[in-house]
């Protein structure tokens, strides 16, 4: 496996001259998230706690908004993650367009991948936060595997991600941890810096995937 600096250097090389489309795609992602979630927050904060019927209605709306979130944001998330791999490997800088194209094709498969992965991580998190973190690292390659292997089911993609990440979960965690300094600095920009940090981290993660995939393929063939 490479060093963290190698992944980050490859990410910066891929993003050089492509920061504008990367930031735009990130802005679109968070704007979509805001538009989907805004009605929920409006209804929640305007709810009268004494209004029993209103509380019941709000409970129903929570389910509706949650479903709507994954129907819209789920597939876009798959495409958003994968488009940085296309940028890294193919030099394809149509990041926003690729987020939609890759995310919404095939639509239902990507919705289920995003939702099922989130459910699994949530269920493991119920045991305590540490198992949830471990499993999120284990499933981190799912979207790449899913898009690279269109013949696999969502369950098979998750299983393959687990196989690839066997023995490498700490490596990925350490890569995430290496961005901690930038994360803290972004807080002082009122969050604006995250529009640059997130593409940087996503591209570095795509480089990590290419590395761990190559190692897994070498072991499998051997």
């Amino acid at each position: 496996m490479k060093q963290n600096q190698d992944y980050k250097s490859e990410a910066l090389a891929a993003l050089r001259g492509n920061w504008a489309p990367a930031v735009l795609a990130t802005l679109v992602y968070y704007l979509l998230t805001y538009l989907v979630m805004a009605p929920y927050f409006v209804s929640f904060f305007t709810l009268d706690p004494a209004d029993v019927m209103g509380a019941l209605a709000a409970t129903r709306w929570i389910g509706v908004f949650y479903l709507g979130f994954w129907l819209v944001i789920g597939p876009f998330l798959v495409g958003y993650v994968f488009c940085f791999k296309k940028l890294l490997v193919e030099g394809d800088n149509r990041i926003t367009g690729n987020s939609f194209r890759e995310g919404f094709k095939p639509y239902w498969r990507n919705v289920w991948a995003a939702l099922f992965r989130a459910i699994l991580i949530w269920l493991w998190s119920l045991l305590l936060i540490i198992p949830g973190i471990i499993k999120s690292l284990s499933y981190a390659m799912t979207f790449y595997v899913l898009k690279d292997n269109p013949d696999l089911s969502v369950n098979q993609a998750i299983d393959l991600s687990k196989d690839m990440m066997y023995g490498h979960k700490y490596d990925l965690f350490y890569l995430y941890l290496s961005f901690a300094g930038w994360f803290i600095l972004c807080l002082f920009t009122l969050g604006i810096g995250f529009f640059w940090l997130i593409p940087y981290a996503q591209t570095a993660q795509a480089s990590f995937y290419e590395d761990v995939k190559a190692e897994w393929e070498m072991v499998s063939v051997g």
Side-chain angles (χ1 to χ4, degrees):
M1 294 292 290
K2 300 175 184 176
Q3 300 297 313
N4 283 346
Q5 192 55 50
D6 297 322
Y7 302 130
K8 296 166 88 169
S9 295
E10 291 177 4
L12 289 174
L15 287 165
R16 189 174 298 117
N18 295 309
W19 282 106
V23 171
L24 176 61
T26 306
L27 180 62
V28 169
Y29 173 68
Y30 282 100
L31 181 60
L32 281 175
T33 302
Y34 171 78
L35 291 176
V36 171
M37 296 302 295
Y40 164 73
F41 287 114
V42 170
S43 63
F44 180 81
F45 286 111
T46 57
L47 175 67
D48 180 1
D51 184 358
V52 177
M53 295 304 296
L56 292 175
T59 301
R60 290 195 296 270
W61 275 113
I62 289 174
V64 172
F65 288 131
Y66 187 77
L67 178 61
F69 177 86
W70 288 109
L71 289 176
V72 177
I73 304 303
F76 190 84
L77 176 60
V78 174
Y80 178 78
V81 169
F82 189 74
C83 73
F84 288 102
K85 176 184 175 295
K86 290 179 71 71
L87 173 67
L88 178 79
V89 176
E90 303 172 19
D92 189 340
N93 65 354
R94 299 171 297 173
I95 301 174
T96 302
N98 285 335
S99 295
F100 283 101
R101 277 187 292 271
E102 297 293 341
F104 289 81
K105 183 185 71 174
Y107 175 74
W108 288 110
R109 182 168 176 255
N110 291 345
V111 168
W112 177 235
L115 178 58
F116 187 49
R117 177 176 173 268
I119 290 173
L120 289 177
I121 293 172
W122 175 72
L123 289 174
W124 279 102
S125 298
L126 293 178
L127 298 178
L128 282 177
I129 189 65
I130 299 300
I133 293 175
I134 292 173
K135 288 302 178 179
S136 68
L137 294 168
S138 184
Y139 304 149
M141 304 295 110
T142 299
F143 298 158
Y144 303 114
V145 172
L146 195 73
K147 299 300 295 182
D148 276 348
N149 302 274
D151 55 316
L152 295 184
S153 69
V154 171
N155 286 0
Q156 289 172 325
I158 289 175
D159 287 340
L160 185 49
S161 175
K162 288 162 57 179
D163 290 344
M164 286 184 178
M165 290 301 294
Y166 182 78
H168 295 300
K169 289 184 282 293
Y170 176 76
D171 296 329
L172 183 58
F173 178 75
Y174 185 49
L175 176 61
Y176 290 160
L177 197 61
S178 71
F179 289 99
W182 287 111
F183 181 90
I184 294 171
L185 286 176
C186 287
L187 296 177
F188 290 98
T189 67
L190 301 180
I192 296 174
F194 287 111
F195 291 109
W196 281 264
L197 176 59
I198 293 172
Y200 181 21
Q202 285 292 343
T203 311
Q205 179 179 266
S207 178
F208 180 93
Y209 165 72
E210 288 296 304
D211 196 21
V212 78
K213 179 181 72 169
E215 181 179 291
W216 179 84
E217 290 174 344
M218 184 174 63
V219 172
S220 297
V221 171

